[in-house]
């Protein structure tokens, strides 16, 4: 369960979302409120994705097969000699470790908190860069990372519910507020919406987003059953590409049930 803590620094409220043992960083000594507002509106979305990856990591780490994978963050070269099924499992486990790490460059927290400790003057002088950075992290987390999350969930027969986006009206309002205050930030930010297949699509404004048929709420994904009870039992042969790695699952016959 996510909890929201409000911290005050320099008279300005700074929001951090407590997620397990890690926490989204409180940024700066007195960040301008309008620039901070962009981060705050997207923080629940990023936090929800991080929580999904952590849940998946917990499931994978708790499976006996995880003991046969290398420890910590490893490379694909280290698992090339494993059987196809075990290689697929370890490759999936590796992604969950990367994205939940608070030190790895690929970690969601590492990327989201890249501007941690910047002063208000540094943020003001680099407003466009800071905003683009945060928008790019949202696009990455809700784009290719999300695609990998969905692929792994379907491959390993896991249930998954993606988070909604900030409403179009909220996104547009904050963008207009920032563009009105900072000339350097004009044209940097866009409105995000869910397109076909829960793909994150970007539009110039709310009108364009609606015209493209985008939505700010997620449609329910096809239901899948199970919680990684037995990753070695699979019906049929599956092959997908996750994180640049081809996952090929070699099926084993299900044991016959006794009458």
């Amino acid at each position: 369960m996510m909890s929201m803590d409000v911290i005050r620094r320099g008279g300005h409220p700074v929001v951090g979302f407590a997620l397990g043992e890690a926490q989204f960083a409180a940024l700066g000594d007195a960040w301008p409120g309008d620039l901070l507002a962009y981060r705050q509106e997207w923080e629940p979305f990023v936090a929800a994705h991080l929580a999904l990856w952590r849940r998946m990591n917990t499931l994978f780490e708790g499976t006996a097969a995880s003991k046969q994978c290398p420890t910590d963050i490893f490379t694909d070269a280290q698992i090339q000699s494993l059987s196809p099924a075990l290689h697929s499992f370890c490759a999936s486990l590796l992604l969950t470790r990367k994205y939940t790490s608070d030190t790895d460059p690929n970690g969601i927290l590492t990327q989201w908190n890249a501007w941690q400790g910047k002063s208000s003057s540094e943020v003001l002088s680099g407003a466009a860069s800071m905003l683009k950075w945060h928008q790019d992290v949202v696009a990455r987390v809700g784009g290719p990372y999300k695609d990998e999350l969905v692929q792994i969930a379907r491959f390993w027969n896991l249930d998954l519910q993606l988070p909604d986006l900030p409403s179009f009206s909220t996104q547009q309002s904050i963008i207009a507020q920032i563009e009105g205050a900072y000339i350097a930030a004009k044209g940097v930010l866009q409105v995000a919406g869910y397109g076909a297949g829960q793909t994150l699509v970007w539009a110039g404004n709310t009108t364009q987003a609606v015209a493209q048929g985008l939505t700010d709420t997620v449609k329910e994904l096809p239901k899948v059953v199970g919680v990684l009870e037995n990753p070695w039992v699979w019906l049929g042969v599956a092959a997908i590409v996750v994180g640049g790695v081809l996952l090929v699952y070699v099926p084993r016959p299900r044991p016959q049930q006794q009458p």
Side-chain angles (χ1 to χ4, degrees), residues 108-131:
I108 293 173
L109 272 179
T110 305
Q111 297 176 63
W112 190 245
N113 289 339
W115 284 70
Q116 179 181 2
K118 299 292 185 182
S119 67
S120 58
S121 59
E122 290 175 304
V123 172
L124 283 171
S125 62
S129 297
M130 184 277 291
L131 292 168

Side-chain angles (χ1 to χ4, degrees), residues 13-83:
V14 180
V15 177
F17 285 81
L19 299 170
E21 295 180 358
Q23 183 176 12
F24 280 18
L27 298 182
D29 51 3
W31 268 38
D34 39 16
L35 292 179
L36 181 62
Y38 184 79
R39 176 184 168 95
Q40 288 177 323
E41 73 161 323
W42 280 105
E43 199 155 83
F45 176 81
V46 175
H49 273 274
L50 178 56
L52 289 172
W53 278 107
R54 283 180 169 165
R55 171 180 174 270
M56 190 167 289
N57 176 257
T58 298
L59 291 173
F60 275 74
E61 298 286 6
T63 303
S66 66
K67 304 299 187 295
Q68 301 180 59
C69 303
T71 58
D72 301 323
I73 306 295
F74 52 89
T75 65
D76 186 58
Q78 292 177 264
I79 57 175
Q80 284 299 324
S81 61
L82 300 178
S83 67

Side-chain angles (χ1 to χ4, degrees), residues 180-216:
Y182 304 94
I183 297 176
K186 289 186 180 296
V188 173
L189 300 177
Q190 292 183 298
V191 173
Y194 278 123
Q198 309 308 336
T199 299
L200 206 58
V201 180
W202 299 84
N205 51 51
T206 298
T207 302
Q208 291 180 14
V210 173
Q212 293 179 48
L214 305 182
T215 63
D216 49 23

